[in-house]
């Protein structure tokens, strides 16, 4: 008689995706919102398999970023612009039938030549899995001081998103990258601002 292997079904506990508002919509007088980016950030190749540790209480918080030994990151320094990453935005959409968030990152690339084209500009389009960006904000309150874009669905340059005009932006390439994610905002945050900044500086130290 032929034996049949028993298959045990995996039953997942039901958890509703519905959400109720749970805080007040009002300014924090002791910690007012400060808008804008510092102009510093890192781009992590998702093909390098970074490991993101998410908070158990809120999966929009990444508490740690682990990279394999020897893995480098592309440091982004746009601090020389008065409004770094200007044009970056978040926009809700239901284009694919569900509410998600289109995220746009605009970078100035102050480089030219064949090496820059090969090692920086073209990979923004051609990366297989895209990139995760971690961007430093001017707001130093902690939760929200380092924004993460692309950890769930990698950032890639838009098809028409790479532009160089010799008489604008100092001749830099302006790269517009985008992705679509389920969460409106994902942040890098561990314990407090000082702890998180130390971890961010450790990522900066892994520059090419």
């Amino acid at each position: 008689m032929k034996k049949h292997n028993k298959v045990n079904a995996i039953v997942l506990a039901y958890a509703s995706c519905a959400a109720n508002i749970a805080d007040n919509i009002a300014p924090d007088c002791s910690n007012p919102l400060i808008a804008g980016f510092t102009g510093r950030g890192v781009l992590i190749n998702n093909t390098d398999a970074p490991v993101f540790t998410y908070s158990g209480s809120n999966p929009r918080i990444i508490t740690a970023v682990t990279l394999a030994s020897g893995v480098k990151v592309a440091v982004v320094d746009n601090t020389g612009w008065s409004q770094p990453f200007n044009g970056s935005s978040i926009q809700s959409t239901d284009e694919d039938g569900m509410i998600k968030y289109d995220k746009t990152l605009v970078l100035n690339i102050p480089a030219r030549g064949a090496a820059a084209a090969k090692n920086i500009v073209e990979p923004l389009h051609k990366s297989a899995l895209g990139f995760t960006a971690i961007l430093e904000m001017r707001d130093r309150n902690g939760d929200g001081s380092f924004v993460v874009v692309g950890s769930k669905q990698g950032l890639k340059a838009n098809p028409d998103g790479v532009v160089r005009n010799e008489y604008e932006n100092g001749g830099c390439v302006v790269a517009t990258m985008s992705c679509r994610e389920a969460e409106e905002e994902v942040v890098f945050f561990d314990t407090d601002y000082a702890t998180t900044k130390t971890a961010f500086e450790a990522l900066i130290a892994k520059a090419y």
Side-chain angles (χ1 to χ4, degrees):
M1 180 181 292
K2 186 176 180 180
K3 293 184 179 179
H4 296 277
N5 293 327
K6 184 178 179 180
V7 177
N8 294 320
I10 298 175
V11 179
L12 299 177
Y14 167 73
S16 174
C17 293
N20 294 317
I21 195 165
D23 208 343
N24 300 309
I25 303 172
D28 183 344
C29 297
S30 60
N31 291 301
L33 180 66
I34 299 173
F37 303 90
T38 67
R40 297 201 311 156
V42 296
L43 284 180
I44 301 171
N45 284 296
N46 287 344
T47 51
D48 287 330
V51 176
F52 302 110
T53 303
Y54 292 89
S55 166
S57 60
N58 188 342
R60 296 158 190 81
I61 299 174
I62 292 174
T63 59
V65 179
T66 304
L67 303 175
S69 177
V71 168
K72 301 292 186 181
V73 304
V75 169
V76 180
D77 185 344
N78 277 191
T79 57
W81 281 261
S82 59
Q83 294 181 318
F85 310 148
N86 189 25
S88 300
S89 65
I90 300 173
Q91 173 72 54
S92 60
T93 179
D94 66 349
E95 253 184 34
D96 58 3
M98 297 180 68
I99 296 294
K100 292 186 179 179
Y101 300 89
D102 286 339
K103 301 179 180 182
T104 301
L105 173 61
V106 182
L107 306 175
N108 289 311
I109 303 174
R112 69 164 68 254
K118 176 185 177 183
N119 297 326
I120 302 173
V121 179
E122 293 173 18
L124 298 181
H125 279 126
K126 297 177 180 179
S127 171
L129 296 176
F131 304 88
T132 295
I134 302 179
L135 309 171
E136 184 181 48
M137 309 300 292
R138 289 176 177 162
D139 195 317
R140 294 181 293 173
N141 285 331
D143 177 1
S145 295
F146 298 89
V147 172
V148 182
V149 186
S151 60
K152 301 291 183 71
Q153 180 189 352
L155 278 165
K156 297 183 76 170
N158 296 350
D160 60 352
V162 171
V163 178
R164 189 198 296 272
N165 185 324
E166 289 296 332
Y167 299 104
E168 294 179 2
N169 295 300
C172 294
V173 168
V174 179
T176 301
M177 307 175 71
S178 63
C179 66
R180 179 173 292 172
E181 297 184 309
E183 297 83 7
E184 187 267 339
E185 187 170 52
V186 177
V187 303
F188 181 36
F189 178 63
D190 179 19
T191 310
D192 53 30
Y193 175 77
T195 302
T196 311
K197 190 173 190 306
T198 297
F200 177 74
E201 297 296 344
L203 289 172
I204 292 280
K206 296 179 182 293
Y208 287 103

